[in-house]
């Protein structure tokens, strides 16, 4: 599939986006461990999340999907059965790393494989702590890359200080901790997204949040089956939020969006860059806050994004880099070396594509320096198999002269099935719906960390 993008008319729109990817993975896994049937609504039926669903099925869990975004997960009280064959995680690192934690608690052996891109991605970050807990894990690829062979067993709780702020690492350890003796604690250099902790609590698993970004779980607990409604994914909404923010006078409402504060750093950065943002939390009944965000675009100015902000907007950096190209002055992104080991090397991919559109950009080891405001030139761009690169540069195309073509963009289905239809709405004045304003709180500009 190709995305053909032309300059957007004035944005005056109201949208919803598909369910949150991170929360969908976790809801399915924890429901599968529970003691009964759980109905999950708002589930993201993306390629990545379906890898997790199919892996759970291969491990003996009955999962019905009466609608694309609805799952009935028949939890089996933590009992999983050996899969008949290896489990294919496709391109989903979340599936592989979270399953590595889960399978570390099982006495049988499982082999986890992935596609060519996933086979390049580092797994030492989960192998090391899971081995410390007692799991037997072999990485068959060079430098601890997939495939993984995992045989779990009697795990012991550990106190692990993670060298990186990664929700996937934290989650793998916490899931293994459910099967370990005693207490398992994870400490991170900066707080990463906290969906696993929240979801465990929602399913009545006791966790403890300590000071300095530590979280602990106690072993030998069975999640209590419950239904759950997954909010829209703020990382998917981010593409449209940036598009509206970068268009002076642009106006966008996103409804039913997840507003977990470990995921909303993007909003404070957009305000810092010159947009006006309001948010209203409408529902916190189910641990994950959801609500509405309203963005009014302004002329944007460059900013510095670094430090503890990075893990809280890691997936939004490609589209924030596009915002940087449209902003006046320089935008600097630092401490984002994790971008080099995502679905592709996102630092290199962003620099390459921004240059392709005529932007002056310097690639740093751990980030980018982007000189705006650039008159973007439409171009034929690759997305390197990376959904967020494809979508970020589709947004760039909405601001470019001439046509932008994103080649081989089917990867958008990894996180945002239907992206191409929403993109059409932003390009077509006829289909953009009018919106009513929200009464919410003005989001303050996030200060740049010293
Ligand atoms: C995710 C965590 C982040 C993020 C990824 C999803 C998760 O990765 O980039 O898209 O669901 O836990 P890291 O944990 O590697 O930072």
């Amino acid at each position: 599939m190709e995305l053909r993008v032309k300059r957007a008319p004035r944005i005056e729109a109201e949208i919803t986006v598909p369910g949150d990817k991170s929360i969908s993975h976790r809801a399915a896994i924890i429901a599968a461990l529970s003691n009964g049937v759980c109905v999950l609504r708002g589930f993201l039926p993306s390629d990545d999340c379906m890898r997790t669903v199919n892996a759970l099925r291969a491990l003996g869990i009955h999962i019905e999907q009466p609608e694309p975004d609805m799952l009935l997960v028949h939890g089996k009280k933590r009992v999983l059965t050996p899969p008949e064959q290896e489990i294919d995680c496709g391109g989903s690192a979340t599936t592989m790393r979270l399953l590595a934690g889960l399978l570390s608690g099982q006495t049988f052996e499982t082999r986890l494989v992935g596609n060519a891109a996933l086979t390049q991605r580092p797994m030492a970050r989960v192998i090391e702590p899971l081995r410390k807990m007692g799991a037997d894990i072999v990485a068959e690829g060079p430098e601890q890359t997939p495939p993984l062979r995992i045989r779990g067993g009697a795990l012991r709780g550990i106190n692990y200080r993670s060298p990186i702020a990664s929700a996937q690492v934290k989650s793998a350890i916490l899931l293994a901790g459910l099967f370990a003796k005693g207490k398992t604690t994870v400490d991170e250099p900066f707080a990463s997204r906290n969906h696993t902790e929240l979801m465990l609590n929602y399913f009545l698993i006791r966790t403890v949040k300590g000071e300095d970004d530590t979280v602990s779980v106690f072993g030998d607990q069975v999640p209590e089956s419950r239904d759950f409604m997954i909010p829209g994914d703020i990382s998917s909404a981010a593409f449209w939020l940036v598009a509206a923010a970068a268009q002076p006078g642009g106006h966008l409402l996103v409804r039913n969006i997840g507003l977990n504060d470990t995921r909303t750093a993007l909003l404070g950065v957009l305000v810092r860059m010159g947009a006006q943002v309001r948010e209203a939390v409408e529902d916190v009944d189910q641990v994950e806050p959801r609500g509405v965000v309203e963005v009014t675009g302004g002329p944007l100015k460059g900013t510095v994004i670094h430090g503890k902000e990075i893990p809280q907007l890691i997936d939004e950096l490609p589209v924030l880099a596009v915002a940087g190209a449209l902003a006046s002055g320089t935008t600097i992104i630092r401490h984002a070396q994790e971008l080099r080991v995502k679905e592709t090397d996102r630092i290199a991919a962003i620099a390459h594509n921004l240059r392709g559109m005529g932007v002056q950009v310097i690639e740093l080891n751990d980030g980018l320096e982007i000189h705006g405001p650039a008159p973007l030139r439409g171009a034929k761009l690759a997305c390197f198999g990376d959904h967020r690169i494809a979508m970020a540069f589709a947004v760039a195309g909405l601001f470019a002269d001439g046509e932008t073509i994103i080649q081989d963009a089917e990867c958008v289905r990894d996180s945002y099935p239907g992206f191409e239809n929403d993109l059409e709405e932003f390009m077509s004045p006829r289909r953009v719906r009018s919106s009513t304003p929200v009464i919410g709180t003005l989001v303050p500009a996030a200060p740049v960390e010293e």
Side-chain angles (χ1 to χ4, degrees):
M1 177 175 78
E2 255 179 16
L3 297 174
R4 289 180 169 264
V5 194
K6 58 180 201 288
R7 190 182 282 281
R10 201 172 101 80
I11 296 172
E12 177 62 52
E14 178 175 332
I15 57 157
T16 56
V17 288
D20 189 279
K21 175 157 98 71
S22 293
I23 301 176
S24 292
H25 284 290
R26 287 151 172 89
I29 292 173
I30 297 170
L33 299 176
S34 78
N35 59 357
V37 182
C38 307
V39 181
L40 307 180
R41 292 190 175 76
F43 182 82
L44 174 68
S46 71
D47 287 0
D48 277 14
C49 294
M50 289 313 296
R51 293 287 175 180
T52 291
V53 168
N54 288 329
L56 293 168
R57 286 177 171 147
L59 292 163
I61 303 297
H62 178 45
I63 303 181
E64 299 168 74
Q65 193 170 16
E67 320 249 343
D69 66 349
M70 182 178 178
L71 297 184
L72 268 69
V73 182
H74 296 249
K76 283 201 342 195
K77 286 195 191 161
R78 308 185 356 153
V79 176
L80 301 175
T81 45
E84 279 168 16
Q85 53 197 4
E86 62 193 20
I87 292 179
D88 188 350
C89 303
S92 176
T94 310
T95 304
M96 188 174 277
R97 294 188 179 129
L98 268 53
L99 281 186
L102 184 67
L103 293 167
S104 291
Q106 317 306 317
T107 47
F108 50 82
E109 183 175 298
T110 315
R111 186 163 183 266
L112 298 180
V113 300
N115 68 12
L118 181 54
T119 302
Q120 310 271 312
R121 296 184 66 183
M123 292 294 148
R125 54 187 59 200
V126 288
I127 294 174
E128 194 210 340
L130 295 173
R131 277 188 186 150
K132 283 199 167 111
M133 294 179 80
D136 178 5
I137 310 189
V138 178
E140 295 175 13
E143 294 173 46
Q144 311 243 54
T145 49
L148 300 183
R149 265 191 296 115
I150 304 172
R151 178 183 286 280
L155 301 184
R156 52 190 170 271
I158 58 167
N159 209 324
Y160 189 67
R161 177 166 286 233
S162 175
I164 42 175
S166 158
Q168 293 177 358
V169 172
K170 175 174 63 179
S171 303
I173 300 169
L174 292 176
L175 289 172
L178 265 188
F179 293 87
K181 203 167 160 29
K183 181 173 160 191
T184 299
T185 301
V186 190
D187 183 10
E188 304 188 276
F190 296 126
S192 65
R193 61 190 71 186
N194 63 0
H195 303 302
T196 301
E197 302 87 297
L198 293 184
M199 192 65 67
L200 286 170
N201 289 339
Y202 181 72
F203 282 84
L204 304 186
I205 294 292
R206 187 166 156 241
T207 65
V208 179
K209 193 175 163 356
E211 282 164 20
D212 298 339
D213 303 325
T214 67
V215 58
S216 308
V217 68
F218 295 87
D220 265 340
Q221 304 182 75
V222 179
E224 190 66 39
S225 68
R226 300 187 70 180
D227 299 342
F228 191 75
M229 173 77 105
I230 296 153
D233 196 326
I234 190 166
S235 299
S236 297
F239 300 105
W240 315 122
L241 293 171
V242 165
Q247 191 189 71
H251 181 233
L252 176 69
L253 277 187
V254 188
R255 296 206 180 267
N256 188 36
I257 182 181
L259 290 172
N260 175 316
D261 61 9
T262 63
R263 293 285 297 284
T264 50
L266 164 79
L267 303 180
V269 171
L270 289 179
V271 177
R272 187 160 91 211
M273 295 180 80
Q276 196 194 74
V277 181
R278 283 179 182 274
E279 66 172 340
V281 173
E282 294 174 335
D283 180 6
V284 278
D285 287 358
Q286 295 202 318
V287 289
E288 287 287 355
R290 74 172 69 227
V292 47
V293 170
E294 179 184 43
V295 173
T296 308
L300 297 185
K301 54 182 190 297
T303 188
V304 179
I305 307 171
H306 70 165
K308 68 176 186 314
E309 232 164 31
I310 295 293
Q312 310 224 326
L313 44 64
I314 186 80
D315 291 340
E316 289 70 81
L317 287 170
V319 75
L320 273 171
V322 171
L326 296 166
S328 58
T330 306
T331 292
I332 297 173
I333 298 172
R334 298 297 307 269
H335 309 139
Q337 57 279 7
E338 275 294 304
L339 290 183
R340 294 215 180 263
V341 290
K342 293 291 179 190
E343 281 80 337
T344 187
D345 176 343
R346 286 187 179 160
I347 294 179
I350 293 167
H352 183 270
N353 281 356
L354 283 179
R355 282 190 197 115
M357 298 185 88
V359 183
Q360 203 200 329
V361 49
I362 300 170
E363 193 178 320
L364 311 169
N365 279 341
D366 65 349
L368 295 150
E369 186 178 308
I370 301 155
H371 295 270
L376 297 184
R377 269 196 323 257
K380 197 171 214 181
L381 301 172
C383 63
F384 310 94
D386 187 318
H387 51 131
R388 299 203 198 276
I389 296 295
M391 295 186 277
F393 282 90
V395 170
L398 294 175
F399 292 85
D401 285 333
E403 192 182 42
T404 297
I405 298 176
I406 317 285
Q407 298 171 295
D408 303 321
E410 44 291 320
C411 54
V412 300
R413 293 180 200 132
D414 289 346
S415 65
Y416 194 158
F419 174 82
E420 60 279 20
N421 303 329
D422 289 348
L423 177 66
E424 279 298 324
E425 291 213 17
F426 278 83
M427 288 189 293
S428 148
R430 284 165 291 119
R431 294 180 58 198
V432 169
R433 285 157 286 178
S434 71
S435 53
T436 40
V438 215
I439 312 291
T441 354
L442 272 179
V443 174
V448 177
E449 207 189 321
E450 287 309 313

